[in-house]
Amino acid sequence: MYFVKSPFFLRWLYPKSIWNMPRHEKKVYLTFDDGPIPEITPFILDILKKYQAKATFFCVGENIKKNPHLFQRILDEGHQVGNHTYNHLKGWETHDEQYLANVAKCQELTQTDLFRPPYARATKSQLRQIYKKYRVIMWDIMSGDFDPNLSPEKCLENVLPNIKNGSVIIFHDNIKAIPRVEYVLPKTIEFLLKNHYQLSRID
């Protein structure tokens, strides 16, 4: 189960995390989790380049190691990167020491002050340590693109009606998301530009 819109109780549980950016600015923040991988990250970068849009990629360390050229392309094309752990660990199922070491291992590659816990889940004790070094970026809109039971059309319906100023939208550059990302991302960007939103990276 996942929440398309970040619910109040999660925002209450994790008040130091960032769930959306300032609402007074007509900006939207596209974010991509889990890459970079050759099967979908180049497509995403091509689409962003076509529309001159910027985004933030929360990268998994082992994927950076496997695909350093794609990670470098993300940087070269002016996008932001964030830490998504080295092995995409579930915080709730990992001892704190192991989890924090995994974050640190990814940080050697990403060199960023942005962090997003995989599955948007980490324990309070893990986050207490992470908050000391990182801004933890959660989400305003979860596209659900990773859900194989979700049609591309329904995925688009998860996104467009929920967009507001300052929305942080989660997409994924992973294998499971490919059919939905390929359909939804161009249409989302076209909608945003038509409605005069600026597509910004999280700095």
Side-chain angles (χ1 to χ4, degrees):
M1 188 184 85
Y2 57 91
F3 298 98
V4 172
K5 296 178 69 176
S6 51
F8 171 78
F9 75 88
L10 280 181
R11 291 174 179 253
W12 179 80
L13 278 173
Y14 304 113
K16 291 185 179 180
S17 296
I18 297 169
W19 296 88
N20 58 268
M21 303 306 283
R23 295 293 194 194
H24 64 276
E25 296 182 304
K26 201 169 177 63
K27 295 181 179 181
V28 167
Y29 300 80
L30 303 180
T31 69
F32 299 89
D33 289 5
D34 299 353
I37 61 169
E39 293 85 353
I40 188 61
T41 306
F43 169 84
I44 291 169
L45 289 170
D46 289 345
I47 292 295
L48 294 172
K49 188 173 185 178
K50 175 182 177 180
Y51 292 100
Q52 298 182 316
K54 299 303 178 190
T56 303
F57 289 78
F58 288 90
C59 297
V60 171
E62 62 181 347
N63 285 334
I64 297 173
K65 272 288 190 183
K66 292 175 185 175
N67 305 290
H69 60 294
L70 287 178
F71 182 71
Q72 190 60 49
R73 183 181 168 190
I74 290 169
L75 297 174
D76 289 346
E77 295 186 4
H79 304 292
Q80 183 61 276
V81 296
N83 185 323
H84 202 47
T85 76
Y86 193 87
N87 297 110
H88 203 261
L89 295 185
K90 293 182 179 180
W92 290 2
E93 298 177 7
T94 310
H95 291 299
D96 289 4
E97 185 176 344
Q98 179 186 353
Y99 189 82
L100 296 170
N102 205 265
V103 172
K105 187 176 181 181
C106 184
Q107 178 66 2
E108 292 175 6
L109 300 171
T110 53
Q111 295 294 307
T112 178
D113 70 341
L114 303 180
F115 176 77
R116 175 176 285 158
Y119 312 99
R121 293 176 180 174
T123 67
K124 286 198 169 186
S125 58
Q126 290 162 359
L127 287 173
R128 269 197 300 271
Q129 298 304 313
I130 289 168
Y131 288 138
K132 295 176 181 179
K133 297 181 180 179
Y134 303 91
R135 288 185 295 153
V136 177
I137 310 297
M138 294 296 200
W139 84 97
D140 193 27
I141 300 170
M142 180 76 74
S143 68
D145 58 352
F146 55 85
D147 182 355
N149 297 313
L150 191 70
S151 71
E153 293 79 10
K154 178 58 181 170
C155 184
L156 186 65
E157 289 177 19
N158 283 349
V159 176
L160 298 191
N162 293 310
I163 289 172
K164 301 177 183 177
N165 289 2
S167 284
V168 176
I169 306 173
I170 295 185
F171 293 106
H172 292 78
D173 48 340
N174 66 26
I175 298 292
K176 292 185 294 185
I178 289 174
R180 283 157 291 280
V181 168
E182 289 180 340
Y183 178 83
V184 174
L185 181 60
K187 294 182 184 304
T188 298
I189 293 176
E190 289 168 3
F191 172 87
L192 291 168
L193 294 177
K194 181 180 179 181
N195 287 278
H196 309 294
Y197 285 97
Q198 182 178 340
L199 283 80
S200 298
R201 66 183 213 168
I202 299 171
D203 288 321

